[in-house]
Amino acid sequence: MSKFCNTIIVGAGASGLMCGAHLKSDFLILEGAQKPAGKLAVSGGGRCNFTNENISVENYTGEQEFIASILQKFSFDDMLGLAKKWKIPFDVCKNRQLFCSNTSKEIITPLLEHSKGRIVTNTRLISVSFEKNEFTLQTTVGVYSCNNLVIASGGVSYPLLGASDIGYSVAGVFGHAVVSPRPALVGFTVQPGESWFKELSGISIPARVSVGLKSFVDSVLFAHKGISGPAILNASLYWEKGLITIDFLPDTKELESLLVGQKQVTTLLGLPKRFSKAFLGAIGVEDKIADKLTATDKEKLSKLKNYNFAPAGTFGLTKAEITKGGVSTVDINPQTMESRLQKRLYFAGEVLDVNGELGGYNFHFAFASALLCAKAINASSKHPV
Ligand SMILES: Cc1cc2nc3c(=O)[nH]c(=O)nc-3n(C[C@H](O)[C@H](O)[C@H](O)COP(=O)(O)OP(=O)(O)OC[C@H]3O[C@@H](n4cnc5c(N)ncnc54)[C@H](O)[C@@H]3O)c2cc1C
């Protein structure tokens, strides 16, 4: 015998919990992990960066009209209103990011309160079929059935926190295309030519990182495996293979005007000495007083503002903050998040091919899309199946 519920949400993460919190009829949330809200808890360094004052479609990759339509229905002001209604203490931090003031619990607690007694943990969805006008769900602990099914199972990055590809396989069963999932908001591994990066493990400096037409001014962090930090993570969202350009002196307009006088180059650059020395070593320029630099030295040093390199790859899905790609939005209705191929099947959050930059954009989209699902289900239950 299967357990029946009007609406079943798969995944007690950001989007699943937000959907549940706004449903007006009977629902259950099936969660594969031991605990709900795994990513919310660790996000934003434990303080969850849940939205951004500057939300716009330009901060996302994916189908732009689809994303714009969703953001229009749930703006920054709407999220702010909800945060105030739920008494979530928050701070506006650099790059206009809103973080919980103390801990992610400040946003998790109200989300969980609204789903009290309705979250079934340690229950992993295995497969879904649609028969006799109902969805039948095979899980690791039995069979469930429902009228409305919300897939809020997230992407495939950070498998330790419960991620799985179930959303993509359910989408496939109902004929949806899936855009190939790959890691994003992730560090880059480097080719042998950039092995000097690895010697700098632990150093963080502000830089401008450009990829294609996008540029990000923020920290870059040299790591044991390659290069990371916020500017690099953002660049990874737009990187498809090919070159990345780093300007290690984003606030200096003309390098020539900096490199004059009787001081050593490494002193004049004003960058951490360890970095400057390794950089000079990598480009084959001696650390000498600026007035003794030759034209060739200066030519080589210009790379400080224009350092091109092709990453070898990324740190991979285990370290990526999000999955780029996912269920194609082509067959999803942006008014309701309902599938155009299967009635009463909904998708919300990162499972979709909507990918936000660092800065609260991914939670904002997860919440926005989940609210639309809830509204559509509330409206449809006025006209029951
Ligand atoms: C370390 C880290 C830090 C981050 N920080 C931020 C941040 O500060 N700001 C921001 O905007 N974004 C951040 N993100 C990204 C953000 O966490 C995600 O984009 C967001 O959680 C997506 O919400 P979701 O509801 O779609 O998926 P999730 O929150 O991932 O929820 C999906 C849920 O589905 C469950 N599930 C998966 N498969 C199954 C199955 N077969 N059966 C049942 N349940 C299943 C999972 O266990 C999970 O609980 C961060 C991500 C990471 C990894």
Side-chain angles (χ1 to χ4, degrees), residues 11 13-15 31-32 43-44 49 125 152 154 158 162 164 166 321 350 360 362-363:
S15 55
E31 170 54 53
S43 66
N49 169 205
L125 178 66
Y158 260 72
S164 83
I166 190 68
E321 287 205 6
E350 200 187 307
N362 288 295
F363 280 132

Side-chain angles (χ1 to χ4, degrees), residues 10-17 30-33 35-40 42-45 47-51 97 99 123-126 152-155 157-158 161-167 185 319-322 348-352 357-364 366:
V10 180
S15 55
L17 292 169
L30 306 184
E31 170 54 53
K35 278 186 180 177
K39 280 190 186 168
L40 277 161
V42 301
S43 66
R47 278 179 57 213
C48 187
N49 169 205
F50 58 91
T51 188
Q97 306 172 29
F99 281 81
T123 303
R124 250 186 137 60
L125 178 66
I126 299 168
S153 54
S157 66
Y158 260 72
L161 292 175
S164 83
D165 63 359
I166 190 68
L185 302 191
K319 299 269 187 234
E321 287 205 6
I322 64 160
E350 200 187 307
V351 70
L352 289 163
E357 292 172 4
L358 214 65
Y361 299 104
N362 288 295
F363 280 132
H364 188 95

Side-chain angles (χ1 to χ4, degrees), residues 256-324:
E256 290 268 332
S257 56
L258 192 72
L259 295 176
V260 284
Q262 295 298 307
K263 289 191 177 155
Q264 301 282 121
V265 173
T266 49
T267 306
L268 290 170
L269 290 178
L271 292 163
K273 276 264 161 68
R274 233 175 98 208
F275 169 84
S276 301
K277 283 188 175 159
F279 184 83
L280 291 186
I283 60 168
V285 172
E286 239 178 81
D287 187 15
K288 50 177 101 162
I289 58 171
D291 284 351
K292 292 211 166 151
L293 288 169
T294 64
T296 317
D297 290 338
K298 286 183 182 165
E299 173 65 29
K300 288 180 178 171
L301 277 163
S302 68
K303 283 194 179 169
L304 264 171
K305 288 202 56 69
N306 192 18
Y307 189 85
N308 288 316
F309 76 103
T314 72
F315 292 179
L317 281 168
T318 52
K319 299 269 187 234
E321 287 205 6
I322 64 160
T323 308
K324 187 173 179 185

Side-chain angles (χ1 to χ4, degrees), residues 50-308:
F50 58 91
T51 188
N52 193 297
E53 285 183 334
N54 183 30
I55 293 278
S56 118
V57 66
E58 281 160 31
N59 306 107
Y60 294 87
T61 65
E63 208 192 326
Q64 299 288 284
E65 269 181 41
F66 178 88
I67 300 167
S69 159
I70 289 162
L71 298 180
Q72 203 188 351
K73 292 184 198 74
F74 187 73
S75 64
F76 166 72
D77 286 339
D78 295 323
M79 186 65 221
L80 189 66
L82 191 59
K84 287 182 178 161
K85 182 171 153 197
W86 285 357
K87 300 190 168 57
I88 300 169
F90 63 83
D91 298 318
V92 182
C93 300
K94 75 164 188 181
N95 299 333
R96 307 174 72 184
Q97 306 172 29
L98 269 69
F99 281 81
C100 293
S101 290
N102 305 292
T103 151
S104 302
K105 278 193 188 144
E106 288 160 343
I107 189 163
I108 295 174
T109 304
L111 280 167
L112 291 180
E113 260 168 26
H114 285 90
S115 298
K116 233 181 214 160
R118 296 174 187 271
I119 304 175
V120 190
T121 53
N122 289 313
T123 303
R124 250 186 137 60
L125 178 66
I126 299 168
S127 65
V128 176
S129 58
F130 187 76
E131 294 146 26
K132 297 185 188 147
N133 223 14
E134 274 179 16
F135 293 97
T136 303
L137 283 67
Q138 305 289 336
T139 78
T140 43
V141 293
V143 182
Y144 288 80
S145 55
C146 58
N147 285 329
N148 303 301
L149 178 61
V150 180
I151 301 297
S153 54
V156 285
S157 66
Y158 260 72
L160 272 179
L161 292 175
S164 83
D165 63 359
I166 190 68
Y168 309 151
S169 63
V170 172
V173 166
F174 294 98
H176 286 271
V178 174
V179 177
S180 115
R182 52 219 190 273
L185 302 191
V186 66
F188 290 128
T189 53
V190 292
Q191 315 255 17
E194 274 70 49
S195 57
W196 63 278
F197 283 12
K198 297 183 183 177
E199 294 162 27
L200 298 174
S201 184
I203 289 186
S204 169
I205 55 174
R208 173 179 289 107
V209 179
S210 306
V211 51
L213 296 174
K214 280 272 178 178
S215 275
F216 301 95
V217 180
D218 211 322
S219 308
V220 301
L221 171 69
F222 294 92
H224 181 61
K225 282 175 88 179
I227 189 160
S228 182
I232 293 289
L233 297 198
N234 268 328
S236 74
L237 183 60
Y238 297 92
W239 182 71
E240 294 292 344
K241 269 184 187 157
L243 289 180
I244 296 283
T245 304
I246 307 186
D247 175 353
F248 290 112
L249 288 169
D251 297 328
T252 303
K253 278 213 171 117
E254 284 179 25
L255 190 59
E256 290 268 332
S257 56
L258 192 72
L259 295 176
V260 284
Q262 295 298 307
K263 289 191 177 155
Q264 301 282 121
V265 173
T266 49
T267 306
L268 290 170
L269 290 178
L271 292 163
K273 276 264 161 68
R274 233 175 98 208
F275 169 84
S276 301
K277 283 188 175 159
F279 184 83
L280 291 186
I283 60 168
V285 172
E286 239 178 81
D287 187 15
K288 50 177 101 162
I289 58 171
D291 284 351
K292 292 211 166 151
L293 288 169
T294 64
T296 317
D297 290 338
K298 286 183 182 165
E299 173 65 29
K300 288 180 178 171
L301 277 163
S302 68
K303 283 194 179 169
L304 264 171
K305 288 202 56 69
N306 192 18
Y307 189 85
N308 288 316

